[in-house]
Amino acid sequence: MIEIFSPAELERAKVSGVFVATVLRTLRERVAVGTNLLDIDRWTGEMIAAAGARSCYVDYAPSFGRGPFGHFICTSVNDAVLHGLPHDYALKNGDLLTLDFAASVQGIVADSAISFVVGESSNPSDAAMIDATQRALEAGIAAATPGASIGDISYAIGTVLAAAGYPVNTDFGGHGVGSTMHQDPHIPNMGRPGRGYKLRTGLLLAIEPWVMADTASLATDADGWTLRSATGARTAHSEHTIAVTDDGPVILTR
Ligand code: MF3
Ligand code: CO
């Protein structure tokens, strides 16, 4: 399903975006060496409850996972890149952490992800990899104008990632958002200009480039959820929810 939102609804979507962005910023400031992934999950649940928001994750049971997710946020560490299931692990200095969080406020979802190094980075290639996903995200967002196509976004993202030297996986990518988290259209992280669904004012999109340092192949963890690089290589992910408008793309989760 593809949902198109009215200007009044887009104003409400901004509230969702600010909430999701605030949670991620708060977590980023609070996370330190020694923080347990289960603490991050608990803090997220507390912020959802305090805001009267709704989790998109707790009861979510898509075909690509095992049963309901059962947690409030995805916490992916080092070689884990997507859908990291929070578990009893205390973060170490130099760990590369991705937080991916979506929630619904007044019935509209926003979805965003950040990657950062915990403590002091010992690994310059981590910063380069995070930077590449952020630049790919900016390029993808810039392509999201009315009349452009999904392929234009995919091409913009894929061009940046490939130029930075990263293989691109197209099994998981961006997506429409709205009254639920995952909606059509799907937005692969590489593709051909001019192909696919034509963007319209009022569309909400989650755009999310992610990479693994030396591979495009994923392996599923024994937990049934966490997706890791097949080679054990480190990974990064950047995601924003945007609105397509006549004035250009508006980033809701900034
Ligand atoms: N928010 C993620 C995305 O960017 C999806 C998480 S699905 C979950 O699309 F089941 F792992 F929560
Ligand atoms: Co998403």
Side-chain angles (χ1 to χ4, degrees), residues 57 60 64 69 74 83 100 102 111 175 181-182 208 225 239:
Y57 289 10
Y60 194 46
F64 56 77
F69 189 72
C74 296
H83 313 157
D100 187 343
D111 185 3
H175 47 93
M181 173 170 59
H182 284 153
E208 48 180 315
W225 277 101
E239 176 177 21

Side-chain angles (χ1 to χ4, degrees), residues 17-27 47 254:
V18 167
F19 172 67
V20 166
T22 303
V23 167
L24 286 176
R25 192 176 62 233
T26 304
L27 292 172
M47 286 186 271
R254 173 82 81 190

